[in-house]
Coordinates of all heavy atoms in Angstrom, one line a residue:
A1 N 247.7 266.2 -102.6 CA 247.5 266.6 -104.0 C 247.4 265.3 -104.9 O 248.1 264.3 -104.6 CB 248.7 267.4 -104.5
G2 N 246.4 265.2 -105.8 CA 246.3 264.1 -106.7 C 247.5 263.9 -107.6 O 247.8 262.8 -108.0
A3 N 248.1 265.0 -108.0 CA 249.3 265.0 -108.8 C 250.4 265.6 -108.0 O 250.2 266.2 -107.0 CB 249.0 265.7 -110.1
A4 N 251.6 265.5 -108.5 CA 252.8 266.0 -107.8 C 252.6 267.5 -107.7 O 252.3 268.2 -108.7 CB 254.0 265.6 -108.6
A5 N 252.9 268.0 -106.5 CA 252.8 269.5 -106.3 C 254.2 270.1 -106.6 O 255.2 269.4 -106.6 CB 252.5 269.8 -104.9
L6 N 254.2 271.4 -106.9 CA 255.4 272.1 -107.3 C 255.9 272.9 -106.2 O 255.1 273.8 -105.7 CB 255.2 272.9 -108.6 CG 254.6 272.2 -109.8 CD1 254.2 273.1 -110.9 CD2 255.7 271.2 -110.3
P7 N 257.0 272.7 -105.6 CA 257.5 273.6 -104.5 C 257.4 275.1 -104.8 O 257.8 275.5 -105.9 CB 258.9 273.1 -104.2 CG 259.0 271.7 -104.8 CD 258.0 271.7 -106.0
T8 N 257.0 275.8 -103.8 CA 256.9 277.3 -104.0 C 258.2 278.0 -103.8 O 258.4 279.1 -104.3 CB 255.9 277.9 -103.1 OG1 256.4 277.8 -101.7 CG2 254.5 277.2 -103.2
G9 N 259.1 277.3 -103.1 CA 260.4 277.9 -102.8 C 260.4 278.6 -101.4 O 261.4 279.1 -101.0
F10 N 259.2 278.6 -100.8 CA 259.0 279.2 -99.5 C 258.5 278.1 -98.5 O 257.3 277.7 -98.7 CB 258.0 280.4 -99.5 CG 258.5 281.5 -100.5 CD1 258.0 281.5 -101.8 CD2 259.3 282.5 -100.0 CE1 258.4 282.5 -102.7 CE2 259.7 283.5 -100.9 CZ 259.3 283.5 -102.2
A11 N 259.3 277.6 -97.6 CA 258.9 276.5 -96.7 C 257.6 276.8 -95.9 O 256.8 276.0 -95.8 CB 260.0 276.2 -95.8
T12 N 257.5 278.1 -95.5 CA 256.3 278.5 -94.7 C 255.0 278.3 -95.5 O 254.0 277.9 -95.1 CB 256.4 279.9 -94.2 OG1 257.7 280.0 -93.5 CG2 255.3 280.3 -93.3
L13 N 255.1 278.7 -96.8 CA 253.9 278.6 -97.7 C 253.7 277.2 -98.1 O 252.5 276.7 -98.1 CB 254.1 279.5 -98.9 CG 253.0 279.4 -100.0 CD1 251.7 279.9 -99.4 CD2 253.4 280.3 -101.2
D14 N 254.7 276.4 -98.4 CA 254.5 275.0 -98.7 C 253.8 274.2 -97.6 O 252.9 273.4 -97.9 CB 255.9 274.3 -98.9 CG 256.5 274.7 -100.3 OD1 255.7 275.2 -101.1 OD2 257.7 274.5 -100.5
A15 N 254.1 274.6 -96.3 CA 253.4 273.9 -95.2 C 251.9 274.2 -95.1 O 251.2 273.5 -94.5 CB 254.1 274.3 -93.9
E16 N 251.5 275.3 -95.8 CA 250.1 275.6 -95.7 C 249.3 275.2 -97.0 O 248.1 275.4 -97.0 CB 249.9 277.2 -95.6 CG 250.5 277.7 -94.3 CD 249.7 277.3 -93.1 OE1 248.5 277.1 -93.2 OE2 250.3 277.1 -92.0
L17 N 250.0 274.6 -97.9 CA 249.3 274.2 -99.2 C 249.1 272.7 -99.3 O 250.1 271.9 -98.9 CB 250.1 274.7 -100.4 CG 250.3 276.2 -100.5 CD1 251.1 276.6 -101.7 CD2 249.0 276.9 -100.5
P18 N 248.0 272.2 -99.8 CA 247.8 270.8 -100.0 C 248.9 270.2 -100.9 O 249.2 270.8 -101.9 CB 246.4 270.7 -100.7 CG 245.7 272.0 -100.2 CD 246.8 273.0 -100.1
G19 N 249.5 269.1 -100.5 CA 250.6 268.5 -101.3 C 251.9 269.2 -101.1 O 252.9 268.7 -101.6
G20 N 252.0 270.3 -100.3 CA 253.2 270.9 -100.1 C 253.8 271.8 -101.2 O 255.0 272.0 -101.3
G21 N 252.9 272.4 -102.0 CA 253.3 273.3 -103.0 C 252.2 273.7 -104.0 O 251.0 273.5 -103.7
W22 N 252.5 274.4 -105.0 CA 251.5 274.8 -106.0 C 250.9 273.6 -106.7 O 251.6 272.6 -107.0 CB 252.2 275.7 -107.1 CG 252.9 276.9 -106.7 CD1 254.2 277.2 -106.9 CD2 252.3 278.1 -106.1 NE1 254.4 278.5 -106.4 CE2 253.3 279.0 -105.9 CE3 251.0 278.4 -105.7 CZ2 253.0 280.2 -105.3 CZ3 250.7 279.6 -105.1 CH2 251.7 280.5 -104.9
P23 N 249.6 273.6 -106.9 CA 249.0 272.4 -107.6 C 249.6 272.3 -109.1 O 249.7 273.3 -109.8 CB 247.5 272.7 -107.6 CG 247.4 274.2 -107.4 CD 248.6 274.6 -106.5
A24 N 250.0 271.1 -109.5 CA 250.7 271.0 -110.7 C 249.8 271.2 -111.9 O 250.3 271.5 -113.0 CB 251.3 269.6 -110.8

């Protein structure tokens, strides 16, 4: 992620998302 990602609260989902969370 070019900017800080926001954790989803679900480790399994974070592992599948660029930056490890929702795009900020």
Side-chain angles (χ1 to χ4, degrees):
L6 305 171
T8 67
F10 302 93
T12 305
L13 179 56
D14 285 342
E16 296 293 327
L17 299 181
W22 302 118

